[in-house]
Amino acid sequence: VKEGEVDQALKMTREKTYPSIGYMVEQGATTIWERWELLTVEHMNSHNHPMHGAFLVWFLKGLGGLEPVPSGKGSELNVHPSIPKELDWVEVKRESLNGEIRIKWEKEKKGVKMEIHVPWNTKVHVRIPEGYLYQGEKEFLLKSGNYEMFLNEQ
């Protein structure tokens, strides 16, 4: 999801009318379908298709902002969460080569509380979401440890 389109992406995951993930759930789906509409027999190739599974990746990479650095070999990660208007909090976890990394953000009055757990022998490049600052900074590096920060609204 491109910067600034997170609210539209969230709407697509929550919407219950056609076409949306919620529509599939309303129609009884327990997996993502190959096509948006409900078709059976000869018209639908698969009711268990990973094509739209990218929504799950978006929860981790988009909302949580957790993404490996291409040259980091697992010991360097990027954190750049998205904060949509209609979500109050997000928590994501992922096992890395050096242990579990966790990111949680929660809206509060005048800003966002963010917690990051960086496992042993790991570096995290943090980029603060649009509209917020952390101690006057937009980007910084964290090493192994537990961090709690408050992002002030700009």
Side-chain angles (χ1 to χ4, degrees):
V1 175
K2 293 179 184 174
E3 185 99 25
E5 296 178 0
V6 66
D7 290 303
Q8 184 62 34
L10 181 62
K11 183 178 176 182
M12 285 180 65
T13 64
R14 294 175 135 185
E15 191 69 38
K16 293 183 180 178
T17 59
Y18 171 84
S20 68
I21 300 296
Y23 172 79
M24 292 180 192
V25 172
E26 290 291 308
Q27 300 303 310
T30 57
T31 61
I32 303 297
W33 303 337
E34 182 175 6
R35 298 170 56 139
W36 288 106
E37 66 271 21
L38 174 59
L39 298 173
T40 56
V41 193
E42 70 273 359
H43 301 293
M44 180 69 81
N45 295 329
S46 172
H47 280 108
N48 187 11
H49 199 75
M51 181 173 71
H52 299 299
F55 285 102
L56 302 176
V57 173
W58 175 69
F59 293 146
L60 185 67
K61 289 183 176 182
L63 295 174
L66 184 57
E67 201 166 351
V69 172
S71 62
K73 298 180 181 141
S75 61
E76 278 188 74
L77 300 154
N78 287 321
V79 171
H80 180 201
S82 297
I83 302 177
K85 293 174 187 161
E86 294 196 24
L87 276 184
D88 292 330
W89 66 274
V90 163
E91 183 173 8
V92 297
K93 302 174 191 178
R94 182 174 184 177
E95 199 63 40
S96 75
L97 295 174
N98 299 331
E100 185 179 74
I101 182 165
R102 292 185 306 274
I103 299 156
K104 179 180 180 181
W105 61 257
E106 185 171 2
K107 289 180 182 174
E108 294 185 355
K109 289 183 181 180
K110 299 186 181 180
V112 173
K113 178 180 160 186
M114 187 160 63
E115 300 171 13
I116 301 175
H117 171 75
V118 182
W120 174 83
N121 201 28
T122 302
K123 295 179 195 173
V124 171
H125 302 269
V126 179
R127 195 168 87 206
I128 301 300
E130 287 297 316
Y132 298 92
L133 283 175
Y134 174 64
Q135 296 181 348
E137 299 290 326
K138 289 297 286 178
E139 295 186 32
F140 49 90
L141 180 70
L142 298 177
K143 295 182 179 180
S144 304
N146 293 306
Y147 300 89
E148 187 174 302
M149 56 198 78
F150 189 79
L151 312 181
N152 294 297
E153 292 179 347
Q154 283 184 295

